[in-house]
């Protein structure tokens, strides 16, 4: 369950569904405008090893690296929360009464959650400045290393890293003058496949700071380095 919750932010499953037509209506796009904030209900699914998991939740994001994710049980209770602020990551499990906090680099590889380090890279879905309307671009990625970006009709459809991570963007729409993919698909270097769908998202609205705060009252707090696979 933990593996599913965290990777949700980074999203992306190779879907077997029929391919949707490419978004072509750019009449409402405002040149130069990008996603500064995003809030949305989400539906996600994860395939990792022998497990297939799906669920619903809510996330808020503020460029470049501030995020909060809440994953809910079918009964509406909080299964887990994740908060990212710069390089600092907090994970809470209210039912277990525990929380983990530390730098992303302290996240043990054995937990399968190294995908958090890709958060900024995955959520940055705009074409690079000066990129062609259609084509393939290579450049330095936000978290280091070389990335390859596939663009068609002004839309970023896919990004990949030499280390094996890949993200695909599908089902684009325009909100507040910004192109936004409503479906994010990701395959991690470890082979985990995740699909994240945004439902009724809001773009570039004012998000108050408390919306990004994860409650720690009553929870036992441990270093992130002590996290075990769940």
């Amino acid at each position: 369950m933990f593996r599913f919750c965290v990777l949700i932010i980074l999203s992306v499953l190779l879907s077997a569904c029929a391919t949707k037509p490419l978004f072509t209506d750019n009449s409402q796009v405002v040149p130069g405008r990008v996603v500064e904030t995003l809030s949305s209900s989400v539906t996600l699914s994860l395939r990792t090893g022998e497990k297939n998991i799906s669920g619903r939740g809510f996330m808020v994001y503020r460029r470049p690296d501030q995020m909060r994710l809440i994953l809910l049980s079918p009964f509406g209770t909080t299964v887990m929360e994740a908060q990212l602020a710069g390089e600092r990551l907090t994970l809470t499990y209210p039912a277990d009464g525990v929380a983990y906090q530390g730098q992303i680099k302290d996240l043990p590889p054995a937990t399968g959650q190294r995908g958090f380090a890709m958060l900024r890279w995955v959520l940055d879905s705009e074409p690079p400045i000066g990129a062609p309307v259609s084509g393939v671009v290579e450049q330095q990625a936000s978290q280091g290393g070389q990335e390859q970006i596939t663009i068609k009709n002004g839309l970023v459809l896919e990004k990949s890293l030499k280390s094996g991570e890949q993200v695909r963007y599908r089902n684009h729409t325009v909100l507040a003058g910004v192109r936004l993919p409503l479906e994010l698909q990701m395959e991690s270097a470890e082979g985990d496949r995740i699909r994240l769908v945004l439902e009724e998202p809001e773009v570039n609205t004012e998000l108050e700071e408390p919306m990004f705060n994860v409650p720690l009252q009553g929870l036992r707090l441990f270093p992130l380095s002590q996290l075990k696979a769940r």
Side-chain angles (χ1 to χ4, degrees):
M1 178 61 71
F2 170 77
R3 183 174 208 135
F4 160 65
C5 303
V6 173
L7 285 174
I8 180 177
I9 311 157
L10 309 174
S11 133
V12 243
L13 173 75
L14 297 176
S15 175
C17 301
T19 302
K20 297 181 180 180
L22 185 66
F23 175 82
T24 57
D25 182 9
N26 294 316
S27 61
Q28 298 180 11
V29 174
V30 178
R33 186 173 296 179
V34 299
V35 175
E36 298 292 347
T37 66
L38 171 66
S39 59
S40 182
S41 298
V42 295
T43 299
L44 50 121
S45 59
L46 167 71
R47 184 169 69 193
T48 173
E50 302 271 327
K51 296 181 180 180
N52 290 279
I53 309 170
S54 61
R56 302 177 67 88
F58 184 79
M59 67 175 290
V60 289
Y61 164 74
R62 179 185 289 139
R63 181 183 290 269
D65 53 15
Q66 193 175 12
M67 180 278 305
R68 181 185 180 189
L69 167 70
I70 303 173
L71 183 68
L72 303 175
S73 73
F75 306 102
T77 57
T78 300
V79 175
M80 68 85 68
E81 289 195 49
Q83 178 200 50
L84 188 65
E87 296 297 321
R88 190 169 186 79
L89 174 63
T90 302
L91 302 171
T92 73
Y93 302 88
D96 297 333
V98 297
Y100 299 85
Q101 192 174 72
Q103 299 294 302
I104 290 178
K105 63 181 179 60
D106 297 328
L107 190 64
T111 64
Q113 307 311 317
R114 295 298 300 172
F116 255 120
M118 295 171 55
L119 178 62
R120 283 171 289 183
W121 180 70
V122 170
L123 293 178
D124 184 7
S125 61
E126 291 88 17
I129 297 176
V133 174
S134 296
V136 178
V137 176
E138 290 192 5
Q139 65 174 20
Q140 187 80 3
S142 57
Q143 82 280 18
Q146 285 292 115
E147 65 178 352
Q148 186 177 85
I149 306 172
T150 301
I151 306 170
K152 185 173 183 179
N153 294 339
L155 301 177
V156 173
L157 299 184
E158 181 177 320
K159 299 199 301 184
S160 61
L161 296 171
K162 290 186 177 180
S163 51
E165 292 86 352
Q166 188 175 61
V167 57
R168 296 180 175 89
Y169 304 96
R170 297 292 184 265
N171 192 16
H172 289 75
T173 188
V174 174
L175 293 175
V178 179
R179 298 185 187 92
L180 180 72
L182 298 180
E183 181 177 341
L184 306 173
Q185 303 174 358
M186 176 195 169
E187 183 171 357
S188 71
E190 294 76 25
D192 296 318
R193 295 180 177 184
I194 307 153
R195 178 174 177 261
L196 173 67
V197 177
L198 305 179
E199 299 181 343
E200 300 183 359
E202 295 185 359
V203 172
N204 293 347
T205 59
E206 184 176 354
L207 300 180
E208 300 293 338
E209 196 62 32
M211 296 183 67
F212 292 91
N213 296 335
V214 173
L216 298 176
Q217 297 86 349
L219 302 180
R220 291 172 294 155
L221 186 60
F222 298 97
L224 192 61
S225 58
Q226 293 185 17
L227 183 67
K228 307 292 184 183
R230 302 173 69 91

